[in-house]
């Protein structure tokens, strides 16, 4: 009899960024990072362990996947058993996929949780996070809600490079205002972008060297609930990361005119005394960190610069349960 489990995970946004790898096969990061999990946006994934037929069946947002995207899911499922049966994976996101909104973080976290339950492998959370990391690095941080660190680790097999919860969802009631510039797919994926950065950016070593201090600063800021301190280091990490992207050959520029317009809005808000700080990932969207009390003012101001604005609080842990048919 096949086993069917459904998991839900929320995407996370890095406040100190992961960009670059020290090991491609194991997907180990060159830098430590620290993230906040988002509420409301989620991936829901159902895994059926054991189906008839010659191949795995993978359906994302209602469309069957084939080729390299489907192969990536099958290779990931192999991590739960080399001689596993064929599986079915149904997954959907309630937010735009691959638009710099960290959909791979929630996708591989939900897939890892559902596959672990359906396969009956029973990994502990740290081991499961290390497996999720092999699907997509940022996914190792999405097993937990609240604030999560991901250290580089020392072990050759990568077993100590996984998410570590720093503070739970209820620790601090801040919001992330997502300013959506474009819901289209990104020009260069994170994986290819990181490789190009490692290979051609002359500043990459400096980026790697400066990251641990940024994580330490962000950790202190989160624990002290010091928004300004966190916002400053988040912007610095963001701009350093995008500087490495812009100085690759050929350059990787994720920003669009509306990205800069949104940044300017945030800077103007700060001049007016509103505590708001921005970050961007491998895409043009701008995410703004602020106090809940300022969320309306910040979103109103951003609405003048971008297509769509969403206010998201801090999200909860990923969950898994037997699927209901
Ligand atoms: C810019 O986790 O998507 O969002 O490990 O190659 O799958 P892979 O990369 P991915 O990269 C995320 C990069 C980032 C910053 C971050 O989330 O830390």
């Amino acid at each position: 009899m096949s086993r069917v489990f459904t998991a839900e995970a929320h995407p996370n946004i890095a406040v100190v960024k992961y960009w670059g790898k020290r090991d491609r096969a194991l997907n180990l990061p060159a830098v430590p990072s620290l993230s906040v999990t988002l509420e409301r946006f989620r991936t829901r994934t159902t895994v059926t362990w054991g189906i008839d037929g010659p191949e795995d069946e993978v359906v994302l947002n209602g469309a069957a996947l084939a080729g390299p995207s489907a192969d990536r899911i099958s290779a990931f499922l192999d991590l739960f058993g080399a001689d596993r049966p064929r599986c079915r994976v149904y997954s959907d996101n309630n937010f735009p996929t691959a638009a710099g909104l960290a959909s791979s973080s929630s996708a591989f976290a939900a897939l890892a949780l559902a596959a672990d339950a359906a396969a009956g492998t029973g990994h502990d959370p740290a081991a499961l996070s290390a497996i999720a990391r092999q699907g997509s690095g940022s996914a190792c941080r999405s097993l937990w809600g609240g604030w999560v660190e991901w250290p580089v680790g020392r072990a050759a097999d990568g077993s100590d490079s996984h998410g570590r919860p720093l503070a739970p969802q209820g620790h601090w009631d801040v919001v992330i205002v997502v300013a959506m510039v474009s819901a289209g797919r990104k020009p260069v994926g994170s994986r290819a972008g990181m490789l190009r950065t490692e290979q051609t950016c002359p500043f990459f070593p400096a980026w790697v060297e400066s990251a641990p201090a940024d994580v330490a600063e962000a950790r202190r800021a989160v624990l002290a609930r010091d928004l300004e301190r966190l916002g400053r280091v988040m912007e610095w990490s963001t701009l350093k990361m995008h500087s490495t992207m812009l100085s690759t050959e050929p350059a990787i520029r994720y920003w669009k005119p509306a990205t800069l317009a949104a940044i300017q809005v945030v800077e103007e808000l700060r001049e007016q005394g509103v505590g708001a700080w921005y970050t961007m990932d491998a895409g043009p969207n701008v995410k703004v960190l602020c106090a809940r009390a300022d969320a309306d003012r910040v979103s109103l101001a951003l609405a003048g610069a971008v297509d769509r604005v969403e206010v998201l609080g801090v999200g909860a842990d990923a969950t898994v349960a037997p699927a209901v048919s």
Side-chain angles (χ1 to χ4, degrees):
M1 214 186 79
S2 55
R3 279 191 304 231
V4 194
F5 278 81
T6 298
E8 282 194 16
H10 301 282
N12 68 73
I13 297 293
V15 294
V16 176
K17 305 294 182 182
Y18 150 52
W19 192 253
K21 302 178 197 284
R22 69 178 170 88
D23 183 304
R24 303 213 96 68
L26 291 168
N27 205 30
L28 293 169
V31 290
S33 56
L34 195 156
S35 62
V36 58
T37 301
L38 301 178
E39 64 167 7
R40 220 150 49 74
F41 283 7
R42 57 106 191 106
T43 299
R44 181 183 291 143
T45 300
T46 299
V47 173
T48 305
W49 199 261
I51 58 166
D52 293 331
E55 287 179 355
D56 295 326
E57 190 186 319
V58 184
V59 178
L60 175 59
N61 292 328
L65 289 192
S69 326
D71 294 346
R72 186 170 167 192
I73 304 295
S74 293
F76 185 75
L77 292 171
D78 291 346
L79 299 172
F80 294 88
D83 53 359
R84 67 175 177 86
R86 297 301 101 206
C87 298
R88 179 179 298 125
V89 175
Y90 276 176
S91 188
D92 76 82
N93 292 330
N94 66 353
F95 61 100
T97 300
L101 284 170
S103 57
S104 70
S105 65
S106 49
F108 281 96
L111 182 60
L113 258 184
D116 183 57
T121 30
H123 292 295
D124 65 37
L128 195 58
S129 171
I131 293 176
R133 182 202 76 227
Q134 295 175 63
S136 187
S138 52
C140 79
R141 303 182 307 227
S142 266
L143 287 180
W144 293 274
W147 306 83
V148 182
E149 280 190 50
W150 174 22
V152 166
R154 289 166 189 269
D157 66 355
S159 55
D160 59 352
S161 186
H162 52 74
R164 285 189 194 159
L166 172 67
Q169 181 186 26
H171 169 72
W172 195 10
D173 187 25
V174 295
V175 299
I176 300 280
V177 182
V178 182
M180 298 208 206
V181 170
S182 153
R185 294 188 83 86
K186 49 193 168 191
V188 183
S190 312
R191 204 147 280 205
M194 287 188 205
L195 183 61
R196 194 187 299 173
T197 307
E198 290 157 32
Q199 289 177 338
T200 69
C201 171
F203 313 125
F204 185 68
W207 157 251
V208 172
E209 206 175 303
S210 75
D214 292 349
V215 168
E217 173 70 358
R219 182 192 306 126
R220 285 190 290 266
V222 168
L223 293 177
R225 300 186 187 87
D226 186 333
L227 197 60
E228 173 159 10
R229 196 168 181 182
L230 183 64
R232 287 169 78 116
V233 72
M234 180 178 81
E235 278 189 9
W236 199 29
S237 175
T238 301
L239 293 172
K240 283 189 284 187
M241 177 181 76
H242 281 273
S243 304
T244 70
M245 295 162 167
L246 287 166
S247 49
T248 57
E249 168 54 36
I252 305 166
R253 177 182 54 82
Y254 290 112
W255 300 7
K256 300 222 163 127
T259 308
L260 271 178
I263 289 176
Q264 196 168 327
V265 165
V266 173
E267 288 172 352
E268 283 163 8
L269 282 166
R270 278 215 296 272
E271 278 161 24
Q272 295 159 21
V274 179
W277 290 268
Y278 59 81
T279 186
M280 290 81 66
D281 294 289
N285 299 316
V286 180
K287 298 111 189 180
V288 181
L289 173 72
C290 67
R292 189 173 285 282
D294 292 325
D296 286 349
R297 185 155 174 201
V298 170
S299 27
L300 206 65
L302 286 167
V306 300
D307 296 344
R308 200 173 130 201
V309 175
E310 295 264 2
V311 179
L312 300 166
V314 178
D317 292 350
T319 56
V320 64
V324 281
S325 49

